[in-house]
Amino acid sequence: KQEVTQIPAALSVPEGENLVLNCSFTDSAIYNLQWFRQDPGKGLTSLLLIQSSQREQTSGRLNASLDKSSGRSTLYIAASQPGDSATYLCAVTYSTGNQFYFGTGTSLTVIP
Amino acid sequence: GAVVSQHPSRVICKSGTSVKIECRSLDFQATTMFWYRQFPKQSLMLMATSNEGSKATYEQGVEKDKFLINHASLTLSTLTVTSAHPEDSSFYICSARDLQGTGNTIYFGEGSWLTVV
């Protein structure tokens, strides 16, 4: 059974701080890994997609890295803002166009 | 870009009634759609894989007679929660696989919040 774990489960930081969210997966033979954002009462917003052959992806203040051999990914958020407050989910797929296995999520609160 | 639309986004129904959630691919054909649910403070879990023109494949522990899935066209899959109970209250979200374009990209719908009272 593929398991995806995210640490910490919750994180509270003051505005402006840089932070790192962690994701680990038990089966390293992934096809790709994706980071999502989920706002309370809302759906999923895709943030970054990393193919298994890639080491990192960047979008604005977000940087996601992938270490497939160790089964880990990190999401780095620079200069955090209150608007970044949300739950962040990582998910992996093991074959092209197939189901996602989601992590448990990290609930982020950025304090103004 | 490709968009997957889910409807309704929120629904409240009485215990014992049935409710239908629609998942539409708006500008691509989706032979395969996936249905997930998320209970409070838990991760999203795959419920079933919906294949156009054939029966859905359900994950272990998901009652196929309770969660009816119909994928009658290449752009629409529906999930019907039959005889809903309060414990079925959850966030349901679909995703659709686009085989065209760059190939094999999966797009997620906005999700549907079901509350059974």
Side-chain angles (χ1 to χ4, degrees):
Chain A
K1 177 184 176 183
Q2 292 83 0
E3 292 188 3
V4 182
T5 305
Q6 290 184 246
I7 295 174
L11 181 63
S12 183
V13 301
E15 181 178 2
E17 195 163 292
N18 303 325
L19 57 101
V20 174
L21 307 181
N22 298 290
C23 173
S24 61
F25 40 95
T26 53
D27 187 341
S28 62
I30 64 171
Y31 181 72
N32 63 44
L33 182 145
Q34 197 158 351
W35 282 92
F36 295 88
R37 169 184 172 140
Q38 185 177 31
D39 292 280
K42 303 289 180 61
L44 298 181
T45 300
S46 177
L47 298 174
L48 289 165
L49 169 67
I50 309 178
Q51 300 291 350
S52 61
S53 58
Q54 298 174 324
R55 297 296 296 267
E56 65 177 345
Q57 283 286 336
T58 299
S59 176
R61 294 183 294 109
L62 304 179
N63 176 275
S65 67
L66 174 63
D67 185 343
K68 197 176 152 184
S69 61
S70 66
R72 294 181 180 180
S73 175
T74 61
L75 178 66
Y76 175 83
I77 302 177
S80 58
Q81 303 171 357
D84 296 331
S85 298
T87 295
Y88 290 81
L89 299 170
C90 72
V92 298
T93 60
Y94 288 92
S95 60
T96 178
N98 215 323
Q99 71 175 89
F100 281 83
Y101 293 88
F102 283 87
T104 45
T106 294
S107 177
L108 172 66
T109 302
V110 180
I111 304 167
Chain B
V3 176
V4 174
S5 175
Q6 240 180 282
H7 178 81
S9 58
R10 291 183 176 277
V11 59
I12 301 173
C13 70
K14 291 185 178 181
S15 183
T17 62
S18 296
V19 60
K20 181 186 289 187
I21 301 171
E22 295 184 346
C23 179
R24 292 182 185 273
S25 57
L26 296 184
D27 57 3
F28 66 94
Q29 294 182 333
T31 57
T32 303
M33 291 184 176
F34 303 91
W35 287 96
Y36 297 82
R37 66 181 169 188
Q38 181 184 37
F39 293 108
K41 298 187 178 181
Q42 295 188 28
S43 184
L44 284 155
M45 298 294 292
L46 181 69
M47 297 176 65
T49 302
S50 170
N51 300 296
E52 188 269 335
S54 65
K55 292 183 179 180
T57 304
Y58 290 82
E59 295 299 300
Q60 190 174 8
V62 178
E63 301 173 59
K64 63 179 181 180
D65 294 330
K66 180 173 181 61
F67 298 97
L68 301 179
I69 292 175
N70 184 285
H71 194 159
S73 80
L74 287 171
T75 59
L76 175 64
S77 175
T78 60
L79 168 67
T80 301
V81 183
T82 62
S83 187
H85 289 96
E87 56 265 30
D88 297 324
S89 299
S90 182
F91 176 68
Y92 294 86
I93 192 166
C94 70
S95 64
R97 184 164 72 189
D98 179 9
L99 294 174
Q100 300 172 345
T102 56
N104 265 316
T105 302
I106 291 186
Y107 298 94
F108 280 86
E110 307 98 329
S112 300
W113 290 92
L114 170 63
T115 302
V116 184
V117 297

